[in-house]
Amino acid sequence: MYKWALNARTALDSWIIDDNVTLIGDAAHAMTPFLGHGAACGIEDAVVLARALKASDTIAEGLKRYQDARHERATFIQGESNNNADRMQGQDTSLFGLGEMKDEESLGLFEYDPRTVEV
Ligand SMILES: Cc1cc2nc3c(=O)[nH]c(=O)nc-3n(C[C@H](O)[C@H](O)[C@H](O)COP(=O)(O)OP(=O)(O)OC[C@H]3O[C@@H](n4cnc5c(N)ncnc54)[C@H](O)[C@@H]3O)c2cc1C
């Protein structure tokens, strides 16, 4: 029962260490799998990080632009995935909480494009 526990995380304040190292993917925003968006978010991070570094004069500037562009969205998805865990374990036994479920469509997650988002 406990070997494969899923641990819900809350957002880190910063993903940047010493202005020259940053976190991406689950290291930055580990997610429960109730929205199916953890890996997608890691790929988005990589695309935006590459663009932010290319657009910047220094590593520090690039990492800051990356974090500024990504933190709000990743935190939102992380929170909604955790919320879905609670919804799936709802008290409504006829739906098992599924009536309250949200997915990528209802949250508008597919409207985001990491290739064009401002960095
Ligand atoms: C049950 C389940 C279902 C999921 N379904 C979906 C889905 O449908 N869609 C989706 O988008 N996401 C899904 N996810 C989430 C997705 O799997 C993760 O968000 C994604 O794998 C994170 O990728 P990552 O590269 O950031 O981290 P990881 O995939 O965890 O990769 C980190 C790697 O680093 C290695 N490592 C760790 N420490 C060291 C070290 N010291 N030295 C060298 N290597 C090290 C690890 O072995 C691992 O290979 C699901 C997750 C789970 C658990």
Side-chain angles (χ1 to χ4, degrees), residues 2-119:
Y2 293 104
K3 185 174 180 183
W4 303 109
L6 291 166
N7 297 303
R9 301 292 182 193
T10 52
L12 297 174
D13 290 335
S14 175
W15 303 338
I16 300 171
I17 303 147
D18 294 339
D19 278 346
N20 58 13
V21 174
T22 193
L23 303 174
I24 71 169
D26 274 14
H29 41 68
M31 291 185 194
T32 50
F34 302 112
L35 201 49
H37 227 72
C41 229
I43 293 166
E44 291 175 2
D45 286 345
V47 173
V48 172
L49 176 59
R51 291 181 54 227
L53 288 171
K54 190 174 180 187
S56 301
D57 294 326
T58 64
I59 299 282
E61 180 191 346
L63 299 188
K64 183 172 185 317
R65 287 168 78 150
Y66 152 71
Q67 178 172 276
D68 288 350
R70 291 291 306 154
H71 195 277
E72 183 178 342
R73 175 172 168 86
T75 299
F76 173 75
I77 295 171
Q78 184 184 46
E80 285 299 324
S81 186
N82 289 344
N83 290 342
N84 265 356
D86 295 336
R87 292 174 187 127
M88 290 170 90
Q89 296 165 43
Q91 298 301 308
D92 182 347
T93 51
S94 63
L95 288 172
F96 295 100
L98 295 178
E100 303 296 322
M101 284 288 284
K102 295 193 176 167
D103 60 19
E104 297 94 328
E105 304 262 14
S106 60
L107 291 170
L109 297 184
F110 292 144
E111 288 156 31
Y112 179 93
D113 188 341
R115 296 169 303 174
T116 54
V117 67
E118 188 176 346
V119 293

